[in-house]
Every structure is written in structure tokens, then in C-alpha cells.
Amino acid sequence: MGLVNTYGIDFGTCNIKVFNQRKKQIVNQRNMIALQDRRVVAVGNDAYEMFDKAPEDVEITCPISAGVIASIAHTQLILRKFAGRGLGLFSRSCDYCVAIPSDLTEVQKRAFHRMIYSANIHARRVYIVDRAVADAVGLGIDVRKANGVLLVDIGADTAEVSVLSGGGIILSRLVSFGGNRLDEAVQMMIRRKYNLNVGIKTAEQIKITYGTVGDVPEKAVCQVEGSDVVSGMPASRQVLLSDVRGVIRDPMLGIVDSIRFILERTPPELSADLYRNGMYLTGGTSLLSGLDELVAGEIGLPVKCFENPSESIVRGLAQIITDPAYGELAHEPKEKLYY
């Protein structure tokens, strides 16, 4: 992509991941910003630490929702604030390579393109890459070959099921479901069944530590602290892990239905490839215990999982940026012409 420095950016709902070509490093921070009277108080992990604990006049938001920009201004503030915090990002005129969901409209894709150009971060050229393509490259798959690949990426707000071949996406389906929905389900279950109010961060930690779609011991419990629904006083409850499993497993079966939907529409020659290659499970929510076995059992294909799947997209961007053989996978969106 040229001799200038290039940054690869994965705008996730929960985390923003940035690859710095010159420093060969990846910065992975929470995609959150805290504002007080329009003044930036904190960004990234620091803003997340303040979530649900900050004063009422401090607004804490995520500028990306369901894979699209919810607030251009807040997204730009995060980019500029990262530079100001001395993380080594965006220092000189440079190129940017951004991963975006394949199901976005051309208007939404150009929104990412224009947002970076207007963010005052010294953008020279801005390229875009389909998230599924970058994801596959980050997993070590040579997507340039005419060989079918089934990729299931389960993130915080969305799950994307894609069939790739020959460097492009053959079929794709974006589902409005992810780890955040599971956090809300755990939170609601504890409130309803145990009369205990817990924050969404506590619910997320319960999901990460104890969440599973596999079998759990019948009487296994975890200790959960929060506030009593009736009195409002601090309280603690023992929550059955089987209850946590119940509110996690059923929604995950919806992902299985989306995989079936894609497989039913896959051309026969590609289906043969998928039968031989199996499917690749990635995204932060893919770390749920027992998920690979659940999907393999329901679909009948072998499932391959990976270490640190939440960074597979930014690793793919790093490969596309540094390896000229993959450079053709990145492109600049074309502006619509009116005559």
C-alpha cells in the first residue's frame, strides 16, 4: 500500500483494534467514550471502568452499534484522543485500512470512508476490506483460492455467517445478535428469579466466567453481588449455573439456524468444499464454553476454533497491509456519479 505508514482499524461494538504497520503492534481498547459538558473525560478502557459508576452528568457511550456508526463525532473523538494519549497512533500523513461488515449499503460504507478523512488524523488514503475477508486472512486462510470457506463470526452486537471463495464473499448473512444480548439475558434472569439487581458489567463477567452451552453440574452455583430488588440494599445471592446456561443456550440456537440458512443456499461445488474443510468459528462470543460442540452437533460439520478470536480481523488487516500478495483485497469505495 505504499511506503507511508498504514493503520488497520477494526471498529468493533465493544472494542476498537488498531494495527500500526511501522511499530508492528496492535492496540486493543474498549470502544467507549466518556463526556462531561462535551469535554472528553476518558476513552477506551478508562471509559469502560467508569461505566455504571460515573456521576449523572458524565455521558458514557459506544459510538458503534450493530457494526455501523451510531455517532460520527464520538468515533472521531476516540481516534483523535488515542493520538493525544501517546499510544503512537496517527502521527503523520498515512493510509488507513478499515474492516467493515459486508452487508452494509454503499452509503454506510462511504460513511466510514468519509468519517476517517474528516477526523483530522492525517489520512492520505482510506481503504476498506470486508470484515469476513479480513477475518479469514487473520485465521491463516488463503481466501484468494477458489476453495469454499464457511466463517461464523459472533461479536458483541452482530453475528455474521459467510461463505467465501476466490477472494470474495459468495453468501453472507448478518444477524442482529451477539454477546451483549446474552449479557442482558443474564441480567434479566437474575433480577426476575433471584430478586437481585446487577449491572451489565457484572452480567458480562458472569457470562465470561460461568457461561456455557454445555452441561453443568445440577447444583453448581456462583456467588453474585448486587442490590436487592425490594429494599434496594446491597445483597448477595447464590445463582445456579444451570439458570445461566438456560438463558445463554437457547439464543445461541438462533445462530445455528442462520448457519443452516446459508448452507441451504450454498452452490453444490462449494458445499463439497465446506464438507471437507468444516467451519471456522471466530469473534469474542465464540469463546463461550461448549459452543463449538453445540454447533458441530447441530450442523454436522467439524468446527475449528482459535486462540484470541476477537483479534482475528485486525490480524487479517495486518496481513493485508504488510503482504503485497493480499493488497488486492483492500479497495477504495467508489463515489456514486450523477449525470
Side-chain angles (χ1 to χ4, degrees):
M1 291 189 180
L3 299 176
V4 301
N5 196 17
T6 305
Y7 296 93
I9 306 176
D10 175 22
F11 287 105
T13 300
C14 277
N15 286 58
I16 177 172
K17 280 83 70 175
V18 181
F19 168 73
N20 184 328
Q21 180 188 15
R22 185 161 294 152
K23 294 191 174 184
K24 301 293 188 296
Q25 69 178 18
I26 292 174
V27 173
N28 187 343
Q29 293 251 345
R30 283 279 179 164
N31 196 6
M32 299 186 95
I33 183 169
L35 299 168
Q36 185 177 38
D37 297 328
R38 299 185 180 180
R39 179 178 60 88
V40 177
V41 177
V43 296
N45 295 341
D46 292 339
Y48 178 70
E49 288 298 320
M50 297 174 63
F51 186 69
D52 273 353
K53 297 180 180 180
E56 291 185 0
D57 62 339
V58 176
E59 177 191 10
I60 303 176
T61 62
C62 297
I64 302 292
S65 177
V68 298
I69 302 172
S71 172
I72 291 177
H74 288 176
T75 305
Q76 291 176 329
L77 282 172
I78 286 180
L79 292 176
R80 291 199 293 267
K81 195 65 177 180
F82 275 149
R85 289 174 59 176
L87 293 180
L89 310 182
F90 321 129
S91 55
R92 299 178 180 176
S93 180
C94 50
D95 293 342
Y96 294 85
C97 188
V98 186
I100 58 175
S102 57
D103 280 19
L104 295 188
T105 65
E106 287 301 318
V107 172
Q108 291 170 326
K109 290 179 181 180
R110 288 197 296 271
F112 277 97
H113 192 257
R114 289 194 296 267
M115 181 271 295
I116 292 181
Y117 266 124
S118 61
N120 193 25
I121 51 175
H122 311 289
R124 191 183 72 120
R125 301 184 71 177
V126 179
Y127 302 88
I128 62 173
V129 180
D130 287 322
R131 284 174 61 92
V133 173
D135 211 349
V137 173
L139 298 176
I141 304 168
D142 189 350
V143 296
R144 299 167 298 174
K145 295 181 179 179
N147 185 36
V149 175
L150 176 59
L151 190 69
V152 182
D153 186 324
I154 311 174
D157 265 356
T158 59
E160 189 169 8
V161 184
S162 307
V163 175
L164 300 89
S165 180
I169 298 174
I170 308 301
L171 292 167
S172 181
R173 189 179 197 190
L174 193 67
V175 184
S176 296
F177 172 83
N180 288 346
R181 190 82 62 86
L182 299 181
D183 300 339
E184 294 168 1
V186 171
Q187 184 184 41
M188 292 290 291
M189 179 274 294
I190 293 175
R191 175 183 172 83
R192 184 180 62 252
K193 187 165 183 179
Y194 294 91
N195 292 323
L196 188 71
N197 281 323
V198 297
I200 199 69
K201 288 167 67 175
T202 297
E204 179 188 25
Q205 195 56 49
I206 293 170
K207 177 198 69 177
I208 293 172
T209 307
Y210 303 104
T212 181
V213 294
D215 295 331
V216 297
E218 184 177 351
K219 296 183 179 180
V221 297
C222 62
Q223 199 73 27
V224 179
E225 292 78 28
S227 62
D228 187 87
V229 169
V230 178
S231 69
M233 298 297 291
S236 179
R237 303 278 193 278
Q238 287 190 334
V239 175
L240 287 169
L241 298 189
S242 57
D243 289 335
V244 177
R245 173 190 179 274
V247 296
I248 288 178
R249 180 183 170 87
D250 290 345
M252 294 309 298
L253 293 175
I255 303 296
V256 173
D257 291 338
S258 295
I259 298 172
R260 287 199 184 99
F261 177 89
I262 289 294
L263 290 176
E264 289 167 358
R265 288 155 178 80
T266 301
E269 288 297 328
L270 286 176
S271 293
D273 289 341
L274 302 186
Y275 183 81
R276 290 190 293 267
N277 299 333
M279 74 177 75
Y280 297 84
L281 197 60
T282 183
T285 306
S286 70
L287 291 170
L288 271 176
S289 174
L291 182 59
D292 54 340
E293 297 176 3
L294 173 68
V295 174
E298 293 288 335
I299 299 298
L301 292 177
V303 175
K304 301 175 183 179
C305 298
F306 299 86
E307 185 178 354
N308 199 6
S310 63
E311 289 190 358
S312 56
I313 292 175
V314 74
R315 291 198 304 269
L317 291 175
Q319 181 77 6
I320 292 168
I321 290 169
T322 57
D323 189 343
Y326 286 90
E328 63 186 18
L329 299 177
H331 62 279
E332 295 181 90
K334 296 179 180 179
E335 293 290 340
K336 189 172 182 179
L337 300 176
Y338 296 90
Y339 297 95

